[in-house]
Amino acid sequence: MSWAEHLGLRMAQAQQQSLLRSHTRLATPQRVDTQINGHSVLNFSSNDYLGWASDEFTIQALKRGADRYGVGSGASHWVVGHSGAHDDLETAVADWLGVEAVALFCTGYLANLGVISALADADTLIHQDRLNHASLLQAGTLAGQSRRFGHADVDQLRRRLARGHDRRQWVVSDGVFSMDGDVAPVQAYVDAAGAAGALCLIDDAHGLGVLGDQGRGSTHGCNPDLIMGTLGKALGCGGAFIAGAGWLVDAIRQFSKPYTYTTAMSPALAYAAAENIRRLRTQPHHQAKLRSNIDYFRAQAIARGVDLMTSDSAIQPWLLGSNERALAASERLKSAGLWVSAIRPPTVPAGTARLRIALSAAHTQSQLDQLCDGLVTCIPG
Ligand code: PMP
């Protein structure tokens, strides 16, 4: 079969299963109040949890960063791409999270690939929560010996760690699960890993800025060996970091190809991200507003009969089951001016398609009321 026939067949199959994706062209994709094709919509699909991706503070910080350091880094970290802005961001993250060392990556996806491939070898056994983000799962697959344990099943994890006692082991999990919104049993994972002499890596892409004192996330107080954080979600910028003990981060820097062979993140963006970390630490009302929006939305939606999944984070999914049902609900909401993404396999397991409602500190109560009104019209049956 030729390439064209082969790919044509795959596309047709995906189309049949309602699995083809299309780009959404919101006028300002991160703003809560935006337009599509000239029509107003309220956006409940962005990971811009604090509403910082396009606010004045971040824009001004980016401009100052560009004035001071330029836009492009011009080279990889080990060549000449690592500037004072990168140093400052590393220090800001280390102070914030109380860790010894931090290394920067261009995206969270690349950080997960870069960290796991840097440390894992043929002797390493990687235990992954089965609902981990695609980047962790793919990194595990590329590394070889990666196994998924039951979601949040600490007993199963302990049994597997005991069985693998003669190997170098690694426990890897999302801190907040990106499509479910629930928080991992981080302390139990850290303890289980520690007792077995394993490393523990928590990807806190959706916890940082949202949970914990000063937005320190789901790992605050738990001290995993490594924390992966993204700067493109609550922090409103882009890029990512790995944080942990100096001996670990040094090894990652030395052995990670996605660290070594990529142009370093934009120094202007690094500067803006550091400014937003300082803002997060000194202006707690942003995080508090997000918290009150989460509590308000859950109370209102549940009171109106919307069967939300259990979640304490800014990700509030509503499980609808079939792809068709999730797509139909998303379309109905769209026609009411409410933008909520339908999430389908392979992003989530087959039969668990859902609406993924993402909340922001920038939403007003009346916008949350409008969302609840729309959701009620989608209640099955
Ligand atoms: N980890 C998790 C849990 C995520 O949800 C995402 C992005 N959706 C990533 C990593 C990748 O981060 P980035 O978007 O910075 O590549």
Side-chain angles (χ1 to χ4, degrees):
M1 198 184 283
S2 71
W3 272 108
E5 286 166 335
H6 170 65
L7 292 181
L9 207 64
R10 282 180 64 182
M11 292 288 275
Q13 277 167 355
Q15 168 85 48
Q16 231 169 25
Q17 296 165 345
S18 305
L19 289 179
L20 281 190
R21 299 160 201 277
S22 55
H23 283 299
T24 306
R25 293 275 181 253
L26 297 181
T28 44
Q30 64 290 79
R31 286 190 197 273
V32 297
D33 203 346
T34 181
Q35 296 95 36
I36 184 156
N37 300 330
H39 298 288
S40 294
V41 285
L42 291 177
N43 182 4
F44 293 96
S45 295
S46 171
N47 298 321
D48 179 25
Y49 301 126
L50 294 172
W52 287 359
S54 58
D55 83 346
E56 202 46 34
F57 181 96
T58 307
I59 290 170
Q60 290 306 325
L62 187 75
K63 287 181 179 169
R64 282 198 307 282
D67 282 343
R68 203 170 297 177
Y69 295 101
V71 175
S73 63
S76 58
H77 286 279
W78 289 125
V79 182
V80 288
H82 190 98
S83 69
H86 298 95
D87 278 339
D88 182 48
L89 175 57
E90 287 178 0
T91 305
V93 174
D95 286 350
W96 176 40
L97 299 183
V99 294
E100 249 173 38
V102 170
L104 303 176
F105 286 84
C106 291
T107 71
Y109 205 108
L110 209 56
N112 282 337
L113 289 182
V115 169
I116 290 181
S117 63
L119 301 191
D121 62 12
D123 269 342
T124 312
L125 187 54
I126 305 173
H127 304 279
Q128 305 228 22
D129 188 294
R130 67 180 292 277
L131 294 190
N132 276 355
H133 188 256
S135 53
L136 292 172
L137 297 175
Q138 191 187 16
T141 305
L142 295 175
Q145 298 284 322
S146 182
R147 304 270 181 277
R148 292 159 83 168
F149 60 90
H151 177 49
D153 190 342
V154 181
D155 289 337
Q156 188 183 46
L157 171 63
R158 282 200 201 96
R159 286 196 298 277
R160 298 225 180 147
L161 283 164
R163 246 184 280 148
H165 63 90
D166 52 348
R167 311 275 298 274
R168 260 192 311 284
Q169 301 190 85
W170 205 343
V171 176
V172 173
S173 178
D174 284 15
V176 172
F177 290 88
S178 55
M179 296 300 139
D180 292 57
D182 59 328
V183 180
V186 175
Q187 188 65 65
Y189 285 172
V190 170
D191 292 345
L199 282 182
C200 183
L201 161 66
I202 302 293
D203 168 343
D204 210 17
H206 300 278
L208 292 168
V210 175
L211 304 175
D213 179 42
Q214 293 184 21
R216 290 182 178 115
S218 68
T219 68
H220 183 48
C222 300
N223 299 322
D225 301 286
L226 291 166
I227 301 167
M228 198 292 289
T230 51
L231 302 165
K233 300 188 195 299
L235 286 159
C237 291
F241 61 81
I242 188 78
W247 63 275
L248 272 171
V249 174
D250 282 349
I252 290 166
R253 277 207 194 91
Q254 293 295 334
F255 302 136
S256 177
K257 293 194 161 93
Y259 180 83
T260 303
Y261 296 107
T262 299
T263 303
M265 74 184 281
S266 153
L269 204 56
Y271 179 89
E275 288 285 87
N276 270 350
I277 288 172
R278 290 187 270 272
R279 173 158 58 145
L280 184 64
R281 301 189 68 184
T282 53
Q283 299 182 15
H285 62 275
H286 299 278
Q287 196 191 343
K289 173 75 183 339
L290 174 60
R291 171 55 43 203
S292 80
N293 277 355
I294 295 168
D295 294 344
Y296 179 80
F297 168 71
R298 280 192 70 80
Q300 293 296 316
I302 291 168
R304 296 193 211 186
V306 180
D307 191 15
L308 293 175
M309 292 170 70
T310 304
S311 163
D312 199 32
S313 71
I315 302 163
Q316 294 291 329
W318 182 18
L319 194 67
L320 289 167
S322 71
N323 297 343
E324 292 73 20
R325 189 177 269 183
L327 279 178
S330 177
E331 285 301 319
R332 180 185 283 248
L333 291 171
K334 205 182 302 172
S335 59
L338 300 161
W339 200 270
V340 183
S341 303
I343 306 290
R344 292 160 284 159
T347 309
V348 291
T352 70
R354 64 199 67 180
L355 290 180
R356 179 183 184 273
I357 298 155
L359 300 178
S360 164
H363 287 124
T364 63
Q365 272 198 2
S366 108
Q367 290 169 339
L368 298 176
D369 290 337
Q370 284 181 61
L371 173 62
C372 290
D373 291 343
L375 292 176
V376 167
T377 69
C378 303
I379 293 177

